[in-house]
PDB file of all heavy atoms in Angstrom:
ATOM      1  N   LEU J 555       3.902  13.097  -6.150  1.00 73.00           N
ATOM      2  CA  LEU J 555       2.946  12.323  -5.350  1.00 73.00           C
ATOM      3  C   LEU J 555       1.510  12.582  -5.790  1.00 73.00           C
ATOM      4  O   LEU J 555       0.700  11.661  -5.887  1.00 73.00           O
ATOM      5  CB  LEU J 555       3.102  12.646  -3.869  1.00 73.00           C
ATOM      6  CG  LEU J 555       4.402  12.149  -3.246  1.00 73.00           C
ATOM      7  CD1 LEU J 555       4.564  12.733  -1.852  1.00 73.00           C
ATOM      8  CD2 LEU J 555       4.422  10.641  -3.198  1.00 73.00           C
ATOM      9  N   LEU J 556       1.204  13.836  -6.084  1.00 73.00           N
ATOM     10  CA  LEU J 556      -0.149  14.147  -6.545  1.00 73.00           C
ATOM     11  C   LEU J 556      -0.435  13.514  -7.898  1.00 73.00           C
ATOM     12  O   LEU J 556      -1.499  12.938  -8.115  1.00 73.00           O
ATOM     13  CB  LEU J 556      -0.361  15.656  -6.606  1.00 73.00           C
ATOM     14  CG  LEU J 556      -0.397  16.386  -5.262  1.00 73.00           C
ATOM     15  CD1 LEU J 556      -0.597  17.880  -5.494  1.00 73.00           C
ATOM     16  CD2 LEU J 556      -1.463  15.844  -4.342  1.00 73.00           C
ATOM     17  N   SER J 557       0.525  13.629  -8.811  1.00 79.00           N
ATOM     18  CA  SER J 557       0.286  13.104 -10.161  1.00 79.00           C
ATOM     19  C   SER J 557       0.229  11.581 -10.190  1.00 79.00           C
ATOM     20  O   SER J 557      -0.510  11.007 -10.984  1.00 79.00           O
ATOM     21  CB  SER J 557       1.358  13.605 -11.126  1.00 79.00           C
ATOM     22  OG  SER J 557       2.600  13.007 -10.815  1.00 79.00           O
ATOM     23  N   GLN J 558       0.960  10.905  -9.318  1.00 79.00           N
ATOM     24  CA  GLN J 558       1.010   9.454  -9.340  1.00 79.00           C
ATOM     25  C   GLN J 558      -0.019   8.779  -8.433  1.00 79.00           C
ATOM     26  O   GLN J 558      -0.383   7.629  -8.669  1.00 79.00           O
ATOM     27  CB  GLN J 558       2.412   8.973  -8.954  1.00 79.00           C
ATOM     28  CG  GLN J 558       3.492   9.419  -9.905  1.00 79.00           C
ATOM     29  CD  GLN J 558       3.254   8.897 -11.320  1.00 79.00           C
ATOM     30  OE1 GLN J 558       3.018   7.719 -11.538  1.00 79.00           O
ATOM     31  NE2 GLN J 558       3.278   9.807 -12.288  1.00 79.00           N
ATOM     32  N   HIS J 559      -0.462   9.461  -7.385  1.00 73.00           N
ATOM     33  CA  HIS J 559      -1.266   8.781  -6.388  1.00 73.00           C
ATOM     34  C   HIS J 559      -2.594   9.461  -6.037  1.00 73.00           C
ATOM     35  O   HIS J 559      -3.419   8.852  -5.367  1.00 73.00           O
ATOM     36  CB  HIS J 559      -0.449   8.587  -5.103  1.00 73.00           C
ATOM     37  CG  HIS J 559       0.799   7.807  -5.333  1.00 73.00           C
ATOM     38  ND1 HIS J 559       0.792   6.452  -5.547  1.00 73.00           N
ATOM     39  CD2 HIS J 559       2.094   8.201  -5.426  1.00 73.00           C
ATOM     40  CE1 HIS J 559       2.035   6.036  -5.744  1.00 73.00           C
ATOM     41  NE2 HIS J 559       2.840   7.075  -5.681  1.00 73.00           N
ATOM     42  N   MET J 560      -2.805  10.660  -6.467  1.00 73.00           N
ATOM     43  CA  MET J 560      -4.042  11.363  -6.124  1.00 73.00           C
ATOM     44  C   MET J 560      -5.148  10.932  -7.076  1.00 73.00           C
ATOM     45  O   MET J 560      -4.968  10.918  -8.282  1.00 73.00           O
ATOM     46  CB  MET J 560      -3.833  12.879  -6.206  1.00 73.00           C
ATOM     47  CG  MET J 560      -5.021  13.709  -5.793  1.00 73.00           C
ATOM     48  SD  MET J 560      -5.403  13.662  -4.039  1.00 73.00           S
ATOM     49  CE  MET J 560      -4.062  14.584  -3.360  1.00 73.00           C
ATOM     50  N   ARG J 561      -6.283  10.596  -6.513  1.00 73.00           N
ATOM     51  CA  ARG J 561      -7.441  10.240  -7.320  1.00 73.00           C
ATOM     52  C   ARG J 561      -8.153  11.511  -7.782  1.00 73.00           C
ATOM     53  O   ARG J 561      -7.883  12.607  -7.286  1.00 73.00           O
ATOM     54  CB  ARG J 561      -8.399   9.378  -6.493  1.00 73.00           C
ATOM     55  CG  ARG J 561      -7.831   8.044  -6.108  1.00 73.00           C
ATOM     56  CD  ARG J 561      -8.838   7.330  -5.238  1.00 73.00           C
ATOM     57  NE  ARG J 561      -8.343   6.045  -4.818  1.00 73.00           N
ATOM     58  CZ  ARG J 561      -8.804   5.388  -3.773  1.00 73.00           C
ATOM     59  NH1 ARG J 561      -9.769   5.902  -3.026  1.00 73.00           N
ATOM     60  NH2 ARG J 561      -8.314   4.222  -3.452  1.00 73.00           N
ATOM     61  N   ARG J 562      -9.105  11.353  -8.669  1.00 73.00           N
ATOM     62  CA  ARG J 562      -9.850  12.498  -9.183  1.00 73.00           C
ATOM     63  C   ARG J 562     -10.641  13.219  -8.100  1.00 73.00           C
ATOM     64  O   ARG J 562     -10.948  14.391  -8.223  1.00 73.00           O
ATOM     65  CB  ARG J 562     -10.795  12.060 -10.287  1.00 73.00           C
ATOM     66  CG  ARG J 562     -10.032  11.684 -11.538  1.00 73.00           C
ATOM     67  CD  ARG J 562     -10.902  10.854 -12.395  1.00 73.00           C
ATOM     68  NE  ARG J 562     -11.268  11.516 -13.618  1.00 73.00           N
ATOM     69  CZ  ARG J 562     -12.074  10.948 -14.489  1.00 73.00           C
ATOM     70  NH1 ARG J 562     -12.618   9.790 -14.228  1.00 73.00           N
ATOM     71  NH2 ARG J 562     -12.359  11.551 -15.614  1.00 73.00           N
ATOM     72  N   ASN J 563     -10.993  12.515  -7.040  1.00 69.00           N
ATOM     73  CA  ASN J 563     -11.747  13.156  -5.963  1.00 69.00           C
ATOM     74  C   ASN J 563     -10.813  13.670  -4.854  1.00 69.00           C
ATOM     75  O   ASN J 563     -11.240  13.908  -3.739  1.00 69.00           O
ATOM     76  CB  ASN J 563     -12.784  12.194  -5.392  1.00 69.00           C
ATOM     77  CG  ASN J 563     -12.156  10.988  -4.716  1.00 69.00           C
ATOM     78  OD1 ASN J 563     -10.943  10.817  -4.748  1.00 69.00           O
ATOM     79  ND2 ASN J 563     -12.979  10.147  -4.122  1.00 69.00           N
ATOM     80  N   PHE J 564      -9.532  13.819  -5.170  1.00 66.00           N
ATOM     81  CA  PHE J 564      -8.510  14.373  -4.279  1.00 66.00           C
ATOM     82  C   PHE J 564      -8.230  13.498  -3.053  1.00 66.00           C
ATOM     83  O   PHE J 564      -7.847  13.990  -2.011  1.00 66.00           O
ATOM     84  CB  PHE J 564      -8.857  15.798  -3.830  1.00 66.00           C
ATOM     85  CG  PHE J 564      -8.965  16.744  -4.980  1.00 66.00           C
ATOM     86  CD1 PHE J 564     -10.196  17.203  -5.405  1.00 66.00           C
ATOM     87  CD2 PHE J 564      -7.839  17.159  -5.663  1.00 66.00           C
ATOM     88  CE1 PHE J 564     -10.307  18.060  -6.484  1.00 66.00           C
ATOM     89  CE2 PHE J 564      -7.936  18.008  -6.740  1.00 66.00           C
ATOM     90  CZ  PHE J 564      -9.166  18.471  -7.155  1.00 66.00           C
ATOM     91  N   THR J 565      -8.433  12.206  -3.190  1.00 69.00           N
ATOM     92  CA  THR J 565      -8.050  11.296  -2.120  1.00 69.00           C
ATOM     93  C   THR J 565      -6.877  10.449  -2.582  1.00 69.00           C
ATOM     94  O   THR J 565      -6.583  10.353  -3.778  1.00 69.00           O
ATOM     95  CB  THR J 565      -9.210  10.359  -1.706  1.00 69.00           C
ATOM     96  OG1 THR J 565      -9.589   9.565  -2.839  1.00 69.00           O
ATOM     97  CG2 THR J 565     -10.395  11.154  -1.188  1.00 69.00           C
ATOM     98  N   ILE J 566      -6.203   9.847  -1.621  1.00 67.00           N
ATOM     99  CA  ILE J 566      -5.084   8.944  -1.888  1.00 67.00           C
ATOM    100  C   ILE J 566      -5.512   7.571  -1.384  1.00 67.00           C
ATOM    101  O   ILE J 566      -6.144   7.474  -0.331  1.00 67.00           O
ATOM    102  CB  ILE J 566      -3.811   9.445  -1.179  1.00 67.00           C
ATOM    103  CG1 ILE J 566      -3.412  10.800  -1.769  1.00 67.00           C
ATOM    104  CG2 ILE J 566      -2.675   8.458  -1.315  1.00 67.00           C
ATOM    105  CD1 ILE J 566      -2.275  11.471  -1.075  1.00 67.00           C
ATOM    106  N   PRO J 567      -5.188   6.517  -2.103  1.00 68.00           N
ATOM    107  CA  PRO J 567      -5.692   5.197  -1.739  1.00 68.00           C
ATOM    108  C   PRO J 567      -5.102   4.620  -0.443  1.00 68.00           C
ATOM    109  O   PRO J 567      -4.508   3.557  -0.439  1.00 68.00           O
ATOM    110  CB  PRO J 567      -5.326   4.335  -2.950  1.00 68.00           C
ATOM    111  CG  PRO J 567      -4.209   5.029  -3.606  1.00 68.00           C
ATOM    112  CD  PRO J 567      -4.396   6.480  -3.322  1.00 68.00           C
ATOM    113  N   THR J 568      -5.253   5.342   0.638  1.00 64.00           N
ATOM    114  CA  THR J 568      -4.827   4.835   1.951  1.00 64.00           C
ATOM    115  C   THR J 568      -5.923   5.117   2.960  1.00 64.00           C
ATOM    116  O   THR J 568      -5.684   5.714   3.997  1.00 64.00           O
ATOM    117  CB  THR J 568      -3.520   5.503   2.426  1.00 64.00           C
ATOM    118  OG1 THR J 568      -3.734   6.908   2.479  1.00 64.00           O
ATOM    119  CG2 THR J 568      -2.347   5.167   1.547  1.00 64.00           C
ATOM    120  N   GLY J 569      -7.114   4.721   2.652  1.00 59.00           N
ATOM    121  CA  GLY J 569      -8.198   4.915   3.593  1.00 59.00           C
ATOM    122  C   GLY J 569      -8.976   6.198   3.385  1.00 59.00           C
ATOM    123  O   GLY J 569      -9.641   6.665   4.302  1.00 59.00           O
ATOM    124  N   GLY J 570      -8.896   6.791   2.188  1.00 57.00           N
ATOM    125  CA  GLY J 570      -9.709   7.951   1.892  1.00 57.00           C
ATOM    126  C   GLY J 570      -9.117   9.297   2.253  1.00 57.00           C
ATOM    127  O   GLY J 570      -9.787  10.307   2.189  1.00 57.00           O
ATOM    128  N   HIS J 571      -7.871   9.316   2.641  1.00 60.00           N
ATOM    129  CA  HIS J 571      -7.255  10.592   2.986  1.00 60.00           C
ATOM    130  C   HIS J 571      -6.887  11.360   1.721  1.00 60.00           C
ATOM    131  O   HIS J 571      -6.688  10.785   0.661  1.00 60.00           O
ATOM    132  CB  HIS J 571      -5.993  10.374   3.828  1.00 60.00           C
ATOM    133  CG  HIS J 571      -6.286   9.737   5.143  1.00 60.00           C
ATOM    134  ND1 HIS J 571      -6.871  10.434   6.170  1.00 60.00           N
ATOM    135  CD2 HIS J 571      -6.096   8.469   5.589  1.00 60.00           C
ATOM    136  CE1 HIS J 571      -7.013   9.639   7.205  1.00 60.00           C
ATOM    137  NE2 HIS J 571      -6.550   8.427   6.875  1.00 60.00           N
ATOM    138  N   GLY J 572      -6.767  12.666   1.874  1.00 60.00           N
ATOM    139  CA  GLY J 572      -6.358  13.524   0.767  1.00 60.00           C
ATOM    140  C   GLY J 572      -4.971  14.067   1.017  1.00 60.00           C
ATOM    141  O   GLY J 572      -4.108  13.391   1.568  1.00 60.00           O
ATOM    142  N   THR J 573      -4.775  15.322   0.642  1.00 56.00           N
ATOM    143  CA  THR J 573      -3.439  15.907   0.767  1.00 56.00           C
ATOM    144  C   THR J 573      -2.927  15.927   2.201  1.00 56.00           C
ATOM    145  O   THR J 573      -1.728  15.982   2.433  1.00 56.00           O
ATOM    146  CB  THR J 573      -3.428  17.343   0.212  1.00 56.00           C
ATOM    147  OG1 THR J 573      -4.433  18.096   0.880  1.00 56.00           O
ATOM    148  CG2 THR J 573      -3.645  17.351  -1.286  1.00 56.00           C
ATOM    149  N   GLU J 574      -3.827  15.857   3.198  1.00 58.00           N
ATOM    150  CA  GLU J 574      -3.352  15.877   4.585  1.00 58.00           C
ATOM    151  C   GLU J 574      -2.513  14.657   4.929  1.00 58.00           C
ATOM    152  O   GLU J 574      -1.708  14.682   5.845  1.00 58.00           O
ATOM    153  CB  GLU J 574      -4.525  16.021   5.569  1.00 58.00           C
ATOM    154  CG  GLU J 574      -5.410  14.791   5.685  1.00 58.00           C
ATOM    155  CD  GLU J 574      -6.522  14.725   4.654  1.00 58.00           C
ATOM    156  OE1 GLU J 574      -6.560  15.539   3.722  1.00 58.00           O
ATOM    157  OE2 GLU J 574      -7.375  13.825   4.787  1.00 58.00           O
ATOM    158  N   SER J 575      -2.665  13.548   4.161  1.00 57.00           N
ATOM    159  CA  SER J 575      -1.888  12.356   4.489  1.00 57.00           C
ATOM    160  C   SER J 575      -0.455  12.432   3.978  1.00 57.00           C
ATOM    161  O   SER J 575       0.351  11.576   4.290  1.00 57.00           O
ATOM    162  CB  SER J 575      -2.573  11.093   3.964  1.00 57.00           C
ATOM    163  OG  SER J 575      -2.497  11.058   2.557  1.00 57.00           O
ATOM    164  N   ILE J 576      -0.137  13.446   3.219  1.00 53.00           N
ATOM    165  CA  ILE J 576       1.255  13.631   2.814  1.00 53.00           C
ATOM    166  C   ILE J 576       1.812  14.949   3.364  1.00 53.00           C
ATOM    167  O   ILE J 576       2.808  15.450   2.900  1.00 53.00           O
ATOM    168  CB  ILE J 576       1.437  13.544   1.280  1.00 53.00           C
ATOM    169  CG1 ILE J 576       0.536  14.527   0.545  1.00 53.00           C
ATOM    170  CG2 ILE J 576       1.241  12.133   0.789  1.00 53.00           C
ATOM    171  CD1 ILE J 576       0.783  14.597  -0.947  1.00 53.00           C
ATOM    172  N   SER J 577       1.155  15.487   4.353  1.00 56.00           N
ATOM    173  CA  SER J 577       1.602  16.677   5.080  1.00 56.00           C
ATOM    174  C   SER J 577       1.911  17.859   4.184  1.00 56.00           C
ATOM    175  O   SER J 577       2.742  18.691   4.502  1.00 56.00           O
ATOM    176  CB  SER J 577       2.828  16.345   5.937  1.00 56.00           C
ATOM    177  OG  SER J 577       2.536  15.323   6.837  1.00 56.00           O
ATOM    178  N   SER J 578       1.259  17.936   3.055  1.00 59.00           N
ATOM    179  CA  SER J 578       1.603  18.972   2.085  1.00 59.00           C
ATOM    180  C   SER J 578       1.318  20.373   2.578  1.00 59.00           C
ATOM    181  O   SER J 578       2.109  21.281   2.373  1.00 59.00           O
ATOM    182  CB  SER J 578       0.847  18.722   0.788  1.00 59.00           C
ATOM    183  OG  SER J 578      -0.545  18.721   1.050  1.00 59.00           O
TER     184      SER J 578
END
Side-chain angles (χ1 to χ4, degrees):
L555 291 170
L556 292 179
S557 69
Q558 298 300 310
H559 302 286
M560 183 70 71
R561 295 177 181 159
R562 289 161 113 182
N563 65 355
F564 299 107
T565 61
I566 296 174
T568 58
H571 296 286
T573 55
E574 71 274 8
S575 70
I576 55 173
S577 302
S578 58

